[in-house]
Structure formats: structure tokens, C-alpha cells
Amino acid sequence: MSIGHTLLGLLESGPRHGYDLKRAFDAHFGHDRPLHYGQVYSTMSRLLKNGLVEVDAVEPGAGPERKRYAITDAGVTDVAQWLARPEKPEPYLQSTLFTKVVLALMTDRNAAELLDTQRAEHLRLMRGLTERKRGGDLADQLICDHALFHLEADLRWLELTAARLERLAAAVRP
């Protein structure tokens, strides 16, 4: 996820302080990974340097002065271009799991057990996501669906690999 573009997009609704940006980010996108304040301020500093935001106001606070940021026309253009650009699909051609299966076979370890253990972990995570989905709002349900669909694809791969272990072992063993 592009944190900079996300913060710029949040600024399109109006100027905000870094604290408000962090809260909005966490509410909409940070369910599993809340943003750290340091990330917000370092990102805003970079966006300011690149002319994508400007300081709209500086207000005194109990601690340091509070800056309120506003998106510039260049920032709006940058967000529009980012939103219009399709994301590159990630094919996972060199996954860690595939590497582990091949190395297990090459070293005469139990690759079937490795696949079973991984399958159990996937199913555990899927149960948790399904429960989260039941209690979540629409955004949370969609995020969980995305993750569940990827995990289902992984499970299909685990089953296919388990069915082909003997052939794979013959191909990778010296």
C-alpha cells in the first residue's frame, strides 16, 4: 500500500493535522497494521518537500506546534494518476512455501507433513478471518474476503502439491 497516496487521498476531503490523518488511516485501512505517528510525519515531510501538500496552518499546542496539511493541485493530480494505474498482479512464482517443499524433498525430510502443517495453519487463519468477517462492517468484510480468496488459492495449491509429491521428489532429488 502506498501510504503517501493514501494520506493524500484522505486530504482531498479537507486539511487535517497529522494526528487526524493517522486516525482516519487507521479507521479505514489500518485494521491489522495501524500507522505509526512517525510514519505519518515522515511521509508528510516528504510530500511537503515534493510539493504535493502544503502547510495550511500552524497552531500552538501543549507541546510542539501543530501543522495542518492541505493537498495541492499537484497532489490531487498525483492521487488521480495513482488511482487510475492498475496494480501489478503478484504471481508468487518464488514462494517461500514452494522453496520449503523442494528443500524438504531434497534433504529427505517429510514434505507431506510440512504441507499438512501449512494446511492446518491456513485453515486456522481462515476460521479467524471468517469470524472477523461475520462481525465486521462492509469494509472489513471485503478485506476479509480478499484474504480468504487468496488463502483458498493457497489451499488448492497445497492439495495439488501433495498429490504430486512423488513426481516432484523424483525431479528434485539427485
Side-chain angles (χ1 to χ4, degrees), residues 8-25:
L8 283 172
L10 291 171
L11 281 173
E12 281 201 51
S13 65
R16 298 181 191 215
H17 295 96
Y19 175 81
D20 297 325
L21 285 167
K22 181 210 177 334
R23 286 184 45 213
F25 181 97

Side-chain angles (χ1 to χ4, degrees), residues 25-160:
F25 181 97
D26 289 351
H28 294 288
F29 313 109
H31 298 289
D32 294 321
R33 253 187 233 156
L35 205 54
H36 297 286
Y37 284 106
Q39 281 181 287
V40 173
Y41 293 109
S42 64
T43 301
M44 295 311 295
S45 177
R46 182 177 43 80
L47 294 172
L48 186 63
K49 178 181 161 194
N50 293 336
L52 302 176
V53 298
E54 61 190 9
V55 175
D56 181 61
V58 178
E59 302 166 358
E65 292 180 330
R66 295 178 34 158
K67 294 178 185 174
R68 189 172 67 197
Y69 299 95
I71 192 167
T72 63
D73 290 341
V76 171
T77 300
D78 196 57
V79 170
Q81 290 172 345
W82 177 68
L83 289 173
R85 194 170 47 244
E87 289 297 310
K88 180 183 174 200
E90 296 295 331
Y92 306 110
L93 292 178
Q94 285 296 324
S95 77
T96 303
L97 188 52
F98 174 76
T99 303
K100 284 183 166 187
V101 170
V102 169
L103 285 175
L105 291 170
M106 291 173 77
T107 59
D108 291 324
R109 289 185 172 88
N110 192 338
E113 185 177 303
L114 183 153
L115 291 170
D116 287 341
T117 301
Q118 189 63 50
R119 184 181 304 106
E121 183 62 17
H122 271 62
L123 292 171
R124 184 194 65 74
L125 181 56
M126 289 175 81
R127 282 189 295 275
L129 286 168
T130 301
E131 186 61 32
R132 176 178 163 181
K133 182 179 157 180
R134 275 191 205 109
D137 61 12
L138 180 59
D140 211 33
Q141 290 170 14
L142 290 169
I143 289 168
C144 289
D145 281 338
H146 186 263
L148 285 165
F149 293 149
H150 281 273
L151 290 168
E152 286 173 9
D154 287 350
L155 281 177
R156 287 196 316 266
W157 182 85
L158 289 167
E159 295 299 327
L160 181 65

